Amino acid sequence: MDNRPERGERGRLRVKDVVLLGLLGGLMFAAKIAMAGLPNIEPVSLLVMLYAAVLGRRALYPIYIYVGLEVCVWGLSLWCLNYLYVWLILCLAAWALRKMRTPLGWALLSGTFGLLFGLLCTPVYLAAGGWAFALSWWVSGIPFDIAHGAGNFVLALVLFAPLRRLLEQLTQTF
C-alpha cells in the first residue's frame, strides 16, 4: 500500500483528504474525552499508532489537530510542549514498524510507550524547574504511567488489528 497522499495541483491535499484527516483528528479528541473517566486509560496512543501505520506521514495532520483541540479546550501549560513531541515519537516508532501485523507487537509498543510517557515528558520539566522538579514530577506519576501502559497494552491488543483493517478500507474507498 502506497502511503503517499494523492495530491491535487501544486502538491496540495485534496478536499476529501483534508476532510478525512480533520475527522480523524476530531475522532481522536472525542475518543479521549469519552474515556476521560478512566484514569490514564486513553485511546490516543492506539490511534496515533494506527494512523502512522496506515496513513504514513499524513498521520501528522490528525495528530496535531488533536493537540490543537486539547490546547483549545484545556489551555496552554507545560504539558502542551510535551504533546508537541511525545506523540511524534510514538508516530515515528509506529511508522518504522508499520509492516508488523501481530497485535502483540503493537500492544507491546503501546504499553511500553504508556509506561515511558512520564519519563518522556521530563525534559520539559527539567528545563522549567531543574532536576528536583523533573524527578519529583516523574516519580509521583509512576502509578499513572503503570495504568497508562496497562490500558494502552489492552486497547492495542484488542483493537489495533480490526481498526487497522477498517482504516485501510476507509482510505481505499475514500
Side-chain angles (χ1 to χ4, degrees):
M1 179 176 185
D2 186 6
N3 284 332
R4 290 177 295 173
E6 295 180 32
R7 295 185 181 260
E9 294 179 30
R10 298 185 189 163
R12 294 184 182 157
L13 290 172
R14 296 177 301 172
V15 171
K16 66 182 186 177
D17 296 324
V18 172
V19 170
L20 176 62
L21 297 171
L23 286 172
L24 292 175
L27 172 68
M28 190 182 295
F29 180 75
K32 182 177 178 186
I33 295 298
M35 293 181 69
L38 302 172
N40 269 28
I41 299 173
E42 45 76 19
V44 177
S45 301
L46 170 68
L47 293 175
V48 166
M49 294 185 322
L50 182 68
Y51 296 168
V54 175
L55 301 173
R57 66 179 170 210
R58 291 186 299 168
L60 295 176
Y61 291 105
I63 291 168
Y64 287 104
I65 288 169
Y66 160 74
V67 171
L69 290 170
E70 285 276 321
V71 171
C72 286
V73 170
W74 307 115
L76 288 171
S77 188
L78 288 176
W79 66 267
C80 300
L81 297 173
N82 298 330
Y83 272 33
L84 292 176
Y85 68 88
V86 293
W87 300 119
L88 179 62
I89 291 170
L90 180 59
C91 181
L92 292 172
W95 182 80
L97 298 170
R98 68 191 174 280
K99 294 183 182 186
M100 179 172 54
R101 288 291 176 176
T102 172
L104 182 59
W106 290 107
L108 288 170
L109 173 61
S110 192
T112 302
F113 177 77
L115 285 172
L116 296 176
F117 192 85
L119 182 64
L120 291 171
C121 293
T122 56
V124 169
Y125 297 106
L126 177 65
W131 282 105
F133 179 55
L135 183 62
S136 65
W137 183 88
W138 175 51
V139 170
S140 68
I142 287 175
F144 296 99
D145 289 339
I146 292 169
H148 192 183
N152 279 6
F153 181 87
V154 171
L155 285 174
L157 187 63
V158 173
L159 295 175
F160 188 86
L163 288 177
R164 182 178 193 162
R165 284 190 299 276
L166 181 65
L167 185 58
E168 286 172 345
Q169 290 172 351
L170 179 65
T171 56
Q172 287 174 359
T173 58
F174 194 84

